[in-house]
Amino acid sequence: MIRLVGILVGLGFTFVVLLSFVMGAYNAATEPAEETAEHAFHLDPKHVEFEHDGLFPAWDVAQLQRGYQVYKEVCSACHSLNQVAFRNLEELGYSEEQVKAEAASWTVPGINPDTGEASSRPGLPTDDFPSPYANNVAAAAANNNAIPPDLSLLTKARHHGPAYVYSLLTGYQEPSAELAERFPDSLPGTGLHHNPYFANLNLAMAPPLTADGQVTYADGTDATIDQMAKDVAAFLTWTAEPALIDRIKLGWMVMGFLLFATILAWLAKKQVWADMKPKRKD
């Protein structure tokens, strides 16, 4: 009797679980999802074109150098670039002497050889770009409790990375009246800034590009906010994947070889089977 009751209880429990699952699946499939501010007001990245886009891309070296200048003079105050070494700047057209001078213009963490204590020193070409903060605690304390991300691989970590960076830098604006009316809880709080290209619409980073001419380009290019945003987005594309152009070129070479090999194999097949005639059926 006890065994029978246990079986019935188990069957009842199984039935309730199965019924709950079926009802939940039915409700999820038939009831519309509750609209959120992020879903209603988040914007896809703007359309922007770069030299490294398309089937036959190339690096715009002048643009990459301008982008590095924007990073150095604007972004490096908060964001690290710890996957890139100063010596990598030679790939942007800088000479060895220029790279040494550029590295020496940065201050990197070091060790005092006499005392063994932490100190700082001018950078060397073999050093990585330093973080502006000693640790994450210091970074959070200086940025409204938000830790600025490292920018080395940012464009690979975001969908449509270069366009996302460009859109974010040029997308700061006041919240719309419709957002304030429909989702008042989504308005930026203290220390936050509204940007519809950011995932949750508000971020702790203040607009880094605030005025035209914020950077004086060495090549004389007019440094508008739009231009600076494009240049630094291109530069961060290079930091994330410096071998991008070589990889695409290699891909085309492989495709060409495969096409040639296919044609050669087809011609060989025709040659080998040229004298073979199908047997006639009497």
Side-chain angles (χ1 to χ4, degrees):
M1 185 64 180
I2 296 178
R3 179 178 298 178
L4 179 61
V5 171
I7 293 174
L8 292 176
V9 170
L11 290 174
F13 178 77
T14 303
F15 174 76
V16 171
V17 171
L18 182 61
L19 181 63
S20 300
F21 174 78
V22 172
M23 293 298 295
Y26 175 79
N27 292 334
T30 57
E31 294 181 3
E34 182 180 357
E35 189 175 37
T36 63
E38 291 82 355
H39 179 266
F41 291 92
H42 179 262
L43 300 179
D44 292 330
K46 303 175 184 178
H47 176 72
V48 58
E49 295 182 354
F50 296 95
E51 290 293 326
H52 56 257
D53 293 334
L55 296 177
F56 302 98
W59 291 124
D60 185 338
V61 175
Q63 184 176 52
L64 297 184
Q65 291 184 358
R66 294 195 302 269
Y68 167 64
Q69 189 175 348
V70 175
Y71 167 75
K72 179 181 179 180
E73 298 185 21
V74 179
C75 307
S76 64
C78 298
H79 295 276
S80 59
L81 203 66
N82 59 28
Q83 299 297 313
V84 183
F86 292 112
R87 64 171 178 262
N88 297 133
L89 293 178
E90 290 188 32
E91 299 175 26
L92 302 187
Y94 294 104
S95 67
E96 184 177 349
E97 293 303 318
Q98 287 176 316
V99 170
K100 289 181 179 179
E102 188 63 32
S105 69
W106 291 73
T107 300
V108 301
I111 300 294
N112 189 318
D114 299 323
T115 64
E117 297 179 352
S119 63
S120 59
R121 59 172 175 80
L124 298 172
T126 53
D127 291 321
D128 295 333
F129 280 86
S131 172
Y133 304 104
N135 50 51
N136 286 343
V137 175
N143 293 277
N144 195 30
N145 206 36
I147 301 174
D150 178 79
L151 299 184
S152 305
L153 304 176
L154 184 68
T155 57
K156 293 197 69 166
R158 300 291 186 272
H159 190 52
H160 298 306
Y164 167 81
V165 172
Y166 168 78
S167 301
L168 190 72
L169 293 176
T170 59
Y172 286 88
Q173 57 190 260
E174 292 296 322
S176 66
E178 184 182 2
L179 174 65
E181 179 181 355
R182 294 176 57 190
F183 302 98
D185 292 341
S186 295
L187 295 176
T190 303
L192 296 178
H193 307 271
H194 182 70
N195 193 318
Y197 298 97
F198 191 64
N200 64 0
L201 307 181
N202 303 304
L203 70 165
M205 182 177 71
L209 302 177
T210 56
D212 295 343
Q214 189 172 344
V215 171
T216 301
Y217 283 137
D219 64 0
T221 300
D222 188 15
T224 63
I225 290 179
D226 185 79
Q227 185 66 56
M228 290 185 288
K230 287 181 180 178
D231 292 342
V232 76
F235 172 70
L236 294 178
T237 303
W238 172 79
T239 65
E241 195 168 6
L244 172 66
I245 305 303
D246 293 336
R247 180 172 57 81
I248 294 176
K249 288 181 179 179
L250 179 61
W252 279 116
M253 292 174 62
V254 171
M255 292 294 292
F257 171 77
L258 291 176
L259 178 61
F260 173 76
T262 300
I263 295 174
L264 193 64
W266 181 78
L267 292 175
K269 178 258 182 186
K270 296 285 290 184
Q271 180 67 24
V272 170
W273 294 92
D275 298 330
M276 301 296 294
K277 297 182 180 180
K279 296 180 180 180
R280 296 180 58 184
K281 293 183 179 180
D282 295 332

